[in-house]
Amino acid sequence: MADKPNILFILTDQQRMDSLGAYGAQLARTPVLDDLAARGVRFTQAYTPCTVCSPARASLLSGVYPHQHGVTRNGGVYRRDLPNLAQALIGAGYRLGYTGKWHIDNTFGPTHFGFEANDWLGYSYPPGGIFTRFLARTCLYPVNHYIEYLKERGLAVPQIEDVVYRPANRNMEIYARQTGPVEASFEHYVAEEAIELIDRFATRGAQDGRPFFLWANFWGPHDPYILPEPYYSMFSADDVTLSPSMGETWEKKPWVQRMMSTNYWGSDRLSESEWRKAVALYAAYCAFLDWETGRILGRLAERGLAENTIVIFSSDHGSMIGHHKLIDKGPYPYDDIQRIPLLAAGPGILPGDVCEEFVYLHDLTPTIIVWAGAESFPCANGQSLARLTRGGTLPRSRDDVYMARHHHPYPYEQRFLRTRRFKYAFNAADIDELYDLDEDPDELVNRIDDPACAPVRREMVERMWTYIQELGDPIA
């Protein structure tokens, strides 16, 4: 047991790959994660199996696709007859800790799966209905642990000011300043719980030698971008360069994309200055979470655990933040929400490596099993990345990735296939999409009906059909 590494997995919500300095972000202040990338492996082609929170997170727990684990939408029900990562780690002698956002199942929280945790069922946005109207009724658990945290520390419940709302829904903030100190923020609360768990596990581990797996989950940088000072004023809107995809016209695009921008969010009515402010605050939110991550890693070092702890950092999916005139995520085929940051560092991992292999978020399930020496279980098309982190290769090489989407904010079946150069999107209810990512990296020109791309389209459809058959995807 003493030879097994501790594993710390930090997962954010809706963080773009290009939000970190390590990935070349121009507007970024992420020294902690940039250092983690330098000390370990940075994956440049990591993708989520589904660009919706609950399905992606349930894929991490199970190692399979949404149609296989049952959570095809936010608020879905996880199949409890499936083997899962928590079960495997307990069998391998690990202590399990969990803090922050759960959002896998609305009925059973992390404690049901064997984690030491304060349960947050469903999405459970901590300040919802307290100092923000956004998702005001999402706290499904009888006790709001965040409010208890504030009371214990004598901190006042924060309020919000300088609010900008979504034009189509005046109850949903896009961004705002949070009053009070950083210590009163709900993201600071998540880091504090993670630090307390590290202390608890360090004390117990010194007595019995058992390793731990700690899963720390921030709610950000998901919108609304509600930040305390000094982060709210960290970046100026004048520092922001807007994406060329802000020129989206939706020509030859599925109708749903225009509808989401004009009717559902009203995001097409935001001014350029409002977009610039939103992008600046998104970058500041990422900087805030980087600092909180540094506090967690700092406690590992203080307790003498850093040398024997593998640290993983990733996100469930990305965010639009104005790209294609869209907010949040939705039924879109874009890299903005499909591509994610993925970093890993620690004992046995090659420092300073950059891996350009296609990998999935749910590849982390078999990877963690290998690192923990746990009993394996079937993980769909997931593969352990352990070899890649040592400079090796995948057991089975990949030249494409397959992704699915079923629901959010309403039923809308889509499947996606991405190669190095092309992206094909099957839209069950509308025109399909095909993008040449070499010539059109912003995915503005749909070439699905371009005769010159007919051979590519046929090949992409055939590849997708192979995945559908092999995975038993009900879209067939």
Side-chain angles (χ1 to χ4, degrees):
M1 285 297 240
D3 295 332
K4 291 190 174 186
N6 303 309
I7 302 171
L8 169 62
F9 182 21
I10 298 174
L11 189 71
T12 58
D13 186 7
Q14 211 157 288
Q15 186 161 2
R16 298 170 59 94
M17 184 199 75
D18 60 6
S19 64
L20 303 180
Y23 285 99
Q26 294 181 340
L27 193 66
R29 195 171 299 174
T30 54
V32 173
L33 293 170
D34 296 346
D35 178 68
L36 184 69
R39 293 190 290 109
V41 177
R42 173 169 59 90
F43 293 88
T44 63
Q45 295 290 338
Y47 295 83
T48 182
C50 182
T51 56
V52 181
C53 303
S54 293
R57 289 164 181 267
S59 289
L60 275 169
L61 189 62
S62 64
V64 299
Y65 278 85
H67 75 273
Q68 296 169 315
H69 58 58
V71 185
T72 57
R73 56 173 292 173
N74 287 340
V77 178
Y78 184 82
R79 279 184 53 193
R80 288 174 182 82
D81 61 318
L82 290 177
N84 61 70
L85 180 60
Q87 183 183 66
L89 290 172
I90 291 172
Y94 274 73
R95 287 191 174 90
L96 307 187
Y98 196 102
T99 178
K101 180 184 174 181
W102 175 243
H103 211 194
I104 290 176
D105 192 297
N106 286 0
T107 308
F108 293 98
T111 57
H112 174 82
F113 291 89
F115 290 94
E116 295 185 38
N118 282 326
D119 281 323
W120 289 93
L121 298 182
Y123 183 60
S124 288
Y125 187 63
I130 300 167
F131 64 82
T132 170
R133 287 179 287 180
F134 178 75
L135 296 174
R137 292 180 293 277
T138 62
C139 187
L140 302 178
Y141 203 69
V143 177
N144 189 319
H145 307 292
Y146 166 60
I147 297 302
E148 295 302 308
Y149 158 84
L150 293 175
K151 291 178 181 177
E152 290 172 1
R153 287 159 176 77
L155 296 167
V157 176
Q159 303 299 312
I160 58 173
E161 53 193 22
D162 297 339
V163 186
V164 169
Y165 294 95
R166 298 180 181 186
N169 190 334
R170 302 298 296 179
N171 287 320
M172 299 180 75
E173 300 89 355
I174 297 176
Y175 58 79
R177 179 191 287 111
Q178 176 182 317
T179 63
V182 168
E183 289 76 14
S185 70
F186 61 95
E187 302 291 19
H188 196 84
Y189 150 78
V190 173
E192 284 292 291
E193 276 204 343
I195 288 169
E196 289 177 7
L197 284 167
I198 289 171
D199 288 341
R200 189 185 309 170
F201 292 157
T203 300
R204 295 178 188 171
Q207 297 171 350
D208 60 19
R210 286 180 62 187
F212 66 80
F213 172 75
L214 174 56
W215 195 350
N217 295 257
F218 291 108
W219 272 271
H222 193 297
D223 58 298
Y225 314 130
I226 297 177
L227 296 171
E229 294 290 6
Y231 293 96
Y232 186 81
S233 302
M234 175 171 281
F235 298 115
S236 168
D238 295 336
D239 298 330
V240 172
T241 300
L242 294 176
S243 166
S245 68
M246 289 288 291
E248 179 66 80
T249 64
W250 300 293
E251 182 182 359
K252 296 183 180 179
K253 298 287 186 83
W255 170 83
V256 68
Q257 294 184 33
R258 181 191 297 272
M259 187 278 293
M260 289 292 290
S261 179
T262 59
N263 295 350
Y264 193 82
W265 300 133
S267 49
D268 66 318
R269 300 195 290 278
L270 291 174
S271 67
E272 182 175 308
S273 63
E274 288 171 327
W275 275 126
R276 290 182 183 277
K277 181 67 173 178
V279 173
L281 286 171
Y282 183 85
Y285 207 152
C286 293
F288 181 29
L289 298 184
D290 183 85
W291 181 74
E292 294 289 2
T293 297
R295 295 179 58 236
I296 298 172
L297 299 186
R299 184 53 60 95
L300 279 179
E302 290 170 10
R303 297 305 300 253
L305 300 172
E307 295 301 317
N308 192 41
T309 300
I310 292 175
V311 179
I312 311 164
F313 175 86
S314 192
S315 187
D316 53 5
H317 54 80
S319 184
M320 296 307 297
I321 57 167
H323 293 231
H324 298 270
K325 298 180 182 176
L326 295 164
I327 303 175
D328 199 59
K329 70 273 186 187
Y332 325 129
Y334 303 123
D335 272 9
D336 301 279
I337 53 176
Q338 293 176 343
R339 206 168 175 182
I340 54 175
L342 178 56
L343 311 172
I349 295 177
L350 193 66
D353 192 24
V354 177
C355 180
E356 298 181 353
E357 294 286 343
F358 277 131
V359 300
Y360 291 102
L361 180 65
H362 64 281
D363 281 335
L364 290 175
T365 312
T367 305
I368 292 169
I369 286 172
V370 169
W371 282 334
E375 185 175 348
S376 63
F377 56 84
C379 289
N381 64 339
Q383 300 185 64
S384 169
L385 308 180
R387 291 184 191 175
L388 288 179
T389 63
R390 299 192 298 269
T393 59
L394 282 172
R396 302 181 306 278
S397 63
R398 293 185 179 125
D399 55 10
D400 55 33
V401 287
Y402 176 72
M403 298 163 281
R405 187 183 184 91
H406 308 271
H407 193 290
H408 186 77
Y410 39 75
Y412 196 88
E413 292 288 345
Q414 295 175 294
R415 300 297 183 270
F416 311 99
L417 188 81
R418 192 196 196 281
T419 65
R420 298 286 177 179
R421 179 171 177 178
F422 294 99
K423 167 92 62 68
Y424 169 61
F426 169 72
N427 297 296
D430 207 329
I431 185 175
D432 292 347
E433 296 164 84
L434 180 66
Y435 299 100
D436 185 334
L437 301 174
D438 282 357
E439 296 183 5
D440 177 28
D442 294 299
E443 300 174 86
L444 285 167
V445 182
N446 183 11
R447 303 186 65 182
I448 196 67
D449 292 329
D450 185 345
C453 292
V456 174
R457 176 181 179 176
R458 284 194 296 270
E459 180 188 354
M460 299 293 276
V461 169
E462 289 172 3
R463 287 187 184 217
M464 179 177 285
W465 183 243
T466 299
Y467 274 107
I468 288 170
Q469 292 177 306
E470 289 180 350
L471 295 169
D473 189 331
I475 195 70

